[in-house]
Amino acid sequence: MTQVTMTVNGKSVSGSVEGRTLLSDFIREGLRLTGTHVGCDTSQCGACVVHVNGQPVKSCTMLAAEAEGADVKTIEGMANADGSLSTIQQAFQDHHGLQCGFCTPGMVMSASALLAENPTPSEAEVRAYLEGNICRCTGYHNIVKAIMAASGQDVAAVAAE
Amino acid sequence: MYEFEFKRPGTIADAVAAIGAEEAQLLGGGQTLLPTMKQRLAAPAVLVSLGGISEMQGVCTDDAGRICVGGGTTHAAVSAATAESYPALSHLAGHIGDPAVRNRGTIGGSLANNDPAACYPAAVLASGANVVTNTREIAADDFFEGMFTTALNDGEIITEVKFPVPVAASYQKFLQPASRFALTGVFVAKFAGAVRVAVTGASEDGVFRWSEAEAALSADFSPDAVDGLSVSADGMIADMHGSAAYRANLVKVLTKRAVSAC
Ligand SMILES: Cc1cc2nc3c(=O)[nH]c(=O)nc-3n(C[C@H](O)[C@H](O)[C@H](O)COP(=O)(O)OP(=O)(O)OC[C@H]3O[C@@H](n4cnc5c(N)ncnc54)[C@H](O)[C@@H]3O)c2cc1C
Ligand code: FES
Ligand code: FES
């Protein structure tokens, strides 16, 4: 067992982990932050995306020990300080960007990384950035719409094809 | 995944010492190795992470004008750092998998793995790059030895890759949308004296140079120059996504597209 210490959603946390403990397991089982979902566990679906030092990564494909000293942000850290939904989260609700909600934590984490990098992405850029986030319910249109809306753009033109 | 002992050295020298242990394996970004270990297709006793070695990170230019990429540099970092200096390489790195994969996966891991459908091997071979390890420097033409096989010895660490910069270049990836790898990909690099064409995702022997196209394009650098050539379907990969003949045809189509885009 190794001792790891990292910052998660602004708070310093530590715990002892096995070499093989995945970051997703440490977050879900160790910290009981179960908002981060594990959809495939094979690096394909993106439900487990969290930010490590500001960058989106698949937490099922990173060892907890590799996050030693890192600044980690999960979906639990996304809401505003007063508990209200962040702009992106609110846009998902307003534009019906989720159905079952399983992919949503990963979608929101990817979307916020995209908007940090590119504050007014085109529809094509949004779709390209979500390449690694799979949703089996929505057909993506409303997710794309929500992200465009969160970036302050007019979404009337983002029609279902 | 079976349990292992995790090591995170801070220098190449310490990594070389750690990898000497019985059944030790290197860990780059883990985007290939961790899924493989979950399937129990790999079960190292010791895993030596290269993620903490700052001397293997980053991109610079050497006195000969070559772009030198540290072996532990992520795809995202390579894409950002080479946007101006080598746009075709930047584009290739920026289209590997998806953003989350690009934030972890490294050039060293991709080359050491030498997946027959991986993107970087095409760039390294077409550019005539050199792969630098902790013990030697290997020319691209001697590095790739077939599907999932390279000239690397056990425990040898890719510390850097040195890319000569072509006058013009383009990588055309025909996406296999489920895996997000290349169904087939062609990298064309035009240098002052010669043209190099490297093909990934097509051959059962992994990445290869299409020498007939290189000769034709060196004489006349236009898409039409390869019209008279054909690629044999013998030894091409055939799977549910495409037959051998389909891939052989893609090689030519993508080469023409790459030349047009140069
Ligand atoms: C969803 C998904 C999509 C992907 N799409 C693409 C794609 O489109 N194109 C593409 O090319 N790749 C793709 N990949 C693979 C990705 O690029 C991997 O990052 C890469 O192949 C392996 O790099 P890594 O740093 O993650 O290495 P690891 O997985 O850590 O290691 C891979 C192998 O290399 C060895 N190794 C690692 N680093 C070194 C080093 N510096 N020196 C010597 N040996 C080393 C390891 O021991 C291991 O055997 C994809 C992966 C996923 C999960
Ligand atoms: S659970 Fe990590 S990518 Fe699917
Ligand atoms: S809303 Fe159900 S998987 Fe996306």
Side-chain angles (χ1 to χ4, degrees), chain B residues 173-206:
Chain B
K173 174 181 182 178
F174 194 88
L175 188 70
Q176 202 279 74
S179 74
R180 302 194 274 280
F181 277 75
L183 183 68
T184 293
V186 174
F187 199 114
V188 171
K190 179 178 190 263
F191 289 92
V195 176
R196 290 172 68 107
V197 178
V199 180
T200 188
S203 169
E204 286 177 340
D205 292 329

Short mmCIF file of all heavy atoms in Angstrom, two decimals, chain B residues 173-206:
data_model
loop_
_atom_site.label_atom_id
_atom_site.label_comp_id
_atom_site.label_asym_id
_atom_site.label_seq_id
_atom_site.Cartn_x
_atom_site.Cartn_y
_atom_site.Cartn_z
N LYS B 173 -5.74 10.58 -42.09
CA LYS B 173 -6.19 9.44 -41.28
C LYS B 173 -7.61 9.09 -41.69
O LYS B 173 -8.49 9.94 -41.64
CB LYS B 173 -6.16 9.85 -39.81
CG LYS B 173 -6.74 8.86 -38.81
CD LYS B 173 -6.63 9.44 -37.40
CE LYS B 173 -7.15 8.49 -36.34
NZ LYS B 173 -7.00 9.04 -34.98
N PHE B 174 -7.81 7.86 -42.11
CA PHE B 174 -9.17 7.40 -42.39
C PHE B 174 -9.64 6.76 -41.10
O PHE B 174 -9.18 5.68 -40.72
CB PHE B 174 -9.17 6.41 -43.56
CG PHE B 174 -10.54 6.15 -44.12
CD1 PHE B 174 -11.06 6.95 -45.12
CD2 PHE B 174 -11.31 5.10 -43.63
CE1 PHE B 174 -12.34 6.70 -45.63
CE2 PHE B 174 -12.58 4.85 -44.13
CZ PHE B 174 -13.09 5.66 -45.13
N LEU B 175 -10.54 7.45 -40.41
CA LEU B 175 -10.89 7.10 -39.04
C LEU B 175 -11.68 5.80 -38.96
O LEU B 175 -12.59 5.56 -39.74
CB LEU B 175 -11.74 8.23 -38.46
CG LEU B 175 -12.06 8.14 -36.97
CD1 LEU B 175 -10.82 8.38 -36.14
CD2 LEU B 175 -13.14 9.18 -36.61
N GLN B 176 -11.29 4.96 -37.99
CA GLN B 176 -12.12 3.82 -37.62
C GLN B 176 -12.89 4.33 -36.40
O GLN B 176 -12.32 4.45 -35.32
CB GLN B 176 -11.20 2.64 -37.26
CG GLN B 176 -11.84 1.27 -37.35
CD GLN B 176 -12.66 0.95 -36.12
OE1 GLN B 176 -13.77 1.49 -35.94
NE2 GLN B 176 -12.18 0.06 -35.30
N PRO B 177 -14.15 4.74 -36.58
CA PRO B 177 -14.80 5.55 -35.54
C PRO B 177 -15.00 4.84 -34.21
O PRO B 177 -15.08 5.50 -33.17
CB PRO B 177 -16.15 5.96 -36.15
CG PRO B 177 -16.27 5.25 -37.44
CD PRO B 177 -14.99 4.53 -37.75
N ALA B 178 -15.06 3.53 -34.19
CA ALA B 178 -15.28 2.85 -32.90
C ALA B 178 -14.01 2.87 -32.05
O ALA B 178 -14.04 3.20 -30.88
CB ALA B 178 -15.76 1.43 -33.12
N SER B 179 -12.88 2.53 -32.64
CA SER B 179 -11.64 2.50 -31.85
C SER B 179 -10.99 3.87 -31.80
O SER B 179 -10.20 4.15 -30.92
CB SER B 179 -10.64 1.53 -32.47
OG SER B 179 -10.07 2.09 -33.65
N ARG B 180 -11.34 4.74 -32.75
CA ARG B 180 -10.75 6.06 -32.94
C ARG B 180 -9.29 6.00 -33.39
O ARG B 180 -8.61 7.00 -33.48
CB ARG B 180 -10.96 6.95 -31.71
CG ARG B 180 -12.45 7.11 -31.39
CD ARG B 180 -12.75 8.21 -30.44
NE ARG B 180 -12.63 7.81 -29.06
CZ ARG B 180 -13.56 7.14 -28.38
NH1 ARG B 180 -14.69 6.79 -28.97
NH2 ARG B 180 -13.40 6.83 -27.12
N PHE B 181 -8.78 4.82 -33.72
CA PHE B 181 -7.48 4.66 -34.37
C PHE B 181 -7.68 4.89 -35.88
O PHE B 181 -8.79 5.18 -36.33
CB PHE B 181 -6.95 3.24 -34.15
CG PHE B 181 -6.25 3.03 -32.83
CD1 PHE B 181 -6.96 2.93 -31.66
CD2 PHE B 181 -4.86 2.93 -32.77
CE1 PHE B 181 -6.31 2.72 -30.43
CE2 PHE B 181 -4.21 2.71 -31.56
CZ PHE B 181 -4.94 2.61 -30.39
N ALA B 182 -6.59 4.73 -36.63
CA ALA B 182 -6.68 4.82 -38.08
C ALA B 182 -7.14 3.47 -38.65
O ALA B 182 -6.57 2.44 -38.31
CB ALA B 182 -5.32 5.18 -38.66
N LEU B 183 -8.15 3.50 -39.52
CA LEU B 183 -8.45 2.28 -40.28
C LEU B 183 -7.25 2.08 -41.22
O LEU B 183 -6.71 0.99 -41.34
CB LEU B 183 -9.75 2.43 -41.07
CG LEU B 183 -10.18 1.19 -41.84
CD1 LEU B 183 -10.59 0.08 -40.90
CD2 LEU B 183 -11.32 1.51 -42.78
N THR B 184 -6.86 3.17 -41.86
CA THR B 184 -5.60 3.27 -42.59
C THR B 184 -5.20 4.74 -42.52
O THR B 184 -6.07 5.61 -42.50
CB THR B 184 -5.78 2.82 -44.06
OG1 THR B 184 -6.07 1.42 -44.07
CG2 THR B 184 -4.53 3.06 -44.90
N GLY B 185 -3.90 5.00 -42.47
CA GLY B 185 -3.43 6.37 -42.45
C GLY B 185 -2.16 6.49 -43.28
O GLY B 185 -1.36 5.55 -43.32
N VAL B 186 -2.00 7.63 -43.96
CA VAL B 186 -0.80 7.84 -44.80
C VAL B 186 -0.18 9.18 -44.44
O VAL B 186 -0.87 10.20 -44.37
CB VAL B 186 -1.15 7.81 -46.30
CG1 VAL B 186 0.07 8.17 -47.15
CG2 VAL B 186 -1.69 6.44 -46.70
N PHE B 187 1.12 9.16 -44.19
CA PHE B 187 1.88 10.39 -43.90
C PHE B 187 2.84 10.62 -45.06
O PHE B 187 3.68 9.77 -45.34
CB PHE B 187 2.65 10.23 -42.58
CG PHE B 187 3.08 11.55 -41.98
CD1 PHE B 187 2.54 11.98 -40.76
CD2 PHE B 187 4.02 12.36 -42.60
CE1 PHE B 187 2.91 13.19 -40.19
CE2 PHE B 187 4.41 13.57 -42.02
CZ PHE B 187 3.86 13.99 -40.82
N VAL B 188 2.67 11.74 -45.75
CA VAL B 188 3.57 12.11 -46.85
C VAL B 188 4.44 13.27 -46.37
O VAL B 188 3.92 14.27 -45.86
CB VAL B 188 2.78 12.54 -48.10
CG1 VAL B 188 3.71 13.13 -49.16
CG2 VAL B 188 2.01 11.35 -48.67
N ALA B 189 5.77 13.12 -46.52
CA ALA B 189 6.70 14.18 -46.12
C ALA B 189 7.60 14.51 -47.30
O ALA B 189 8.29 13.63 -47.83
CB ALA B 189 7.53 13.74 -44.93
N LYS B 190 7.56 15.78 -47.71
CA LYS B 190 8.35 16.22 -48.87
C LYS B 190 9.57 16.97 -48.35
O LYS B 190 9.45 18.01 -47.71
CB LYS B 190 7.49 17.14 -49.72
CG LYS B 190 8.16 17.70 -50.95
CD LYS B 190 7.14 18.57 -51.71
CE LYS B 190 7.66 18.97 -53.07
NZ LYS B 190 8.25 20.31 -53.06
N PHE B 191 10.75 16.41 -48.61
CA PHE B 191 12.00 17.07 -48.23
C PHE B 191 12.62 17.67 -49.49
O PHE B 191 12.19 17.37 -50.61
CB PHE B 191 12.96 16.06 -47.59
CG PHE B 191 12.52 15.62 -46.21
CD1 PHE B 191 11.72 14.50 -46.05
CD2 PHE B 191 12.87 16.36 -45.10
CE1 PHE B 191 11.30 14.11 -44.78
CE2 PHE B 191 12.45 15.98 -43.82
CZ PHE B 191 11.66 14.85 -43.67
N ALA B 192 13.64 18.51 -49.32
CA ALA B 192 14.28 19.15 -50.47
C ALA B 192 14.71 18.12 -51.51
O ALA B 192 14.45 18.27 -52.70
CB ALA B 192 15.47 19.97 -50.00
N GLY B 193 15.30 17.01 -51.08
CA GLY B 193 15.81 16.03 -52.05
C GLY B 193 14.86 14.90 -52.38
O GLY B 193 14.93 14.34 -53.48
N ALA B 194 13.97 14.56 -51.49
CA ALA B 194 13.20 13.33 -51.68
C ALA B 194 11.86 13.40 -50.96
O ALA B 194 11.64 14.26 -50.11
CB ALA B 194 13.99 12.14 -51.16
N VAL B 195 10.99 12.47 -51.32
CA VAL B 195 9.68 12.37 -50.68
C VAL B 195 9.62 11.03 -49.95
O VAL B 195 10.07 10.02 -50.47
CB VAL B 195 8.56 12.45 -51.74
CG1 VAL B 195 7.19 12.26 -51.10
CG2 VAL B 195 8.63 13.78 -52.48
N ARG B 196 9.08 11.05 -48.73
CA ARG B 196 8.89 9.79 -47.99
C ARG B 196 7.41 9.61 -47.71
O ARG B 196 6.71 10.55 -47.34
CB ARG B 196 9.68 9.82 -46.67
CG ARG B 196 11.19 9.76 -46.88
CD ARG B 196 11.94 9.99 -45.58
NE ARG B 196 11.76 8.91 -44.61
CZ ARG B 196 12.70 8.02 -44.29
NH1 ARG B 196 13.89 8.04 -44.87
NH2 ARG B 196 12.46 7.09 -43.38
N VAL B 197 6.94 8.38 -47.92
CA VAL B 197 5.52 8.05 -47.72
C VAL B 197 5.43 6.88 -46.75
O VAL B 197 5.97 5.80 -47.03
CB VAL B 197 4.86 7.66 -49.06
CG1 VAL B 197 3.40 7.29 -48.85
CG2 VAL B 197 4.99 8.79 -50.09
N ALA B 198 4.79 7.08 -45.61
CA ALA B 198 4.66 6.00 -44.63
C ALA B 198 3.19 5.68 -44.42
O ALA B 198 2.34 6.57 -44.34
CB ALA B 198 5.31 6.38 -43.31
N VAL B 199 2.90 4.39 -44.34
CA VAL B 199 1.51 3.90 -44.28
C VAL B 199 1.29 3.13 -42.98
O VAL B 199 2.05 2.23 -42.65
CB VAL B 199 1.23 2.96 -45.48
CG1 VAL B 199 -0.21 2.45 -45.42
CG2 VAL B 199 1.53 3.66 -46.80
N THR B 200 0.24 3.51 -42.26
CA THR B 200 -0.12 2.77 -41.05
C THR B 200 -1.52 2.19 -41.20
O THR B 200 -2.29 2.62 -42.08
CB THR B 200 -0.04 3.68 -39.80
OG1 THR B 200 -0.21 2.88 -38.62
CG2 THR B 200 -1.12 4.76 -39.80
N GLY B 201 -1.84 1.20 -40.39
CA GLY B 201 -3.21 0.67 -40.37
C GLY B 201 -3.53 -0.26 -41.52
O GLY B 201 -4.66 -0.74 -41.63
N ALA B 202 -2.56 -0.53 -42.39
CA ALA B 202 -2.87 -1.33 -43.57
C ALA B 202 -2.20 -2.70 -43.55
O ALA B 202 -2.84 -3.72 -43.75
CB ALA B 202 -2.48 -0.56 -44.83
N SER B 203 -0.91 -2.71 -43.28
CA SER B 203 -0.16 -3.95 -43.44
C SER B 203 -0.14 -4.80 -42.17
O SER B 203 -0.07 -4.28 -41.06
CB SER B 203 1.27 -3.64 -43.85
OG SER B 203 2.07 -4.80 -43.76
N GLU B 204 -0.13 -6.11 -42.37
CA GLU B 204 0.02 -7.04 -41.24
C GLU B 204 1.41 -6.95 -40.64
O GLU B 204 1.65 -7.48 -39.55
CB GLU B 204 -0.28 -8.47 -41.69
CG GLU B 204 -1.76 -8.67 -41.90
CD GLU B 204 -2.12 -10.05 -42.42
OE1 GLU B 204 -1.24 -10.75 -42.96
OE2 GLU B 204 -3.31 -10.41 -42.29
N ASP B 205 2.34 -6.30 -41.34
CA ASP B 205 3.69 -6.10 -40.80
C ASP B 205 3.82 -4.74 -40.11
O ASP B 205 4.92 -4.31 -39.79
CB ASP B 205 4.74 -6.21 -41.91
CG ASP B 205 4.82 -7.64 -42.43
OD1 ASP B 205 4.60 -8.57 -41.64
OD2 ASP B 205 5.10 -7.81 -43.64
N GLY B 206 2.71 -4.04 -39.92
CA GLY B 206 2.77 -2.73 -39.27
C GLY B 206 3.15 -1.64 -40.27
O GLY B 206 3.05 -1.82 -41.49
#
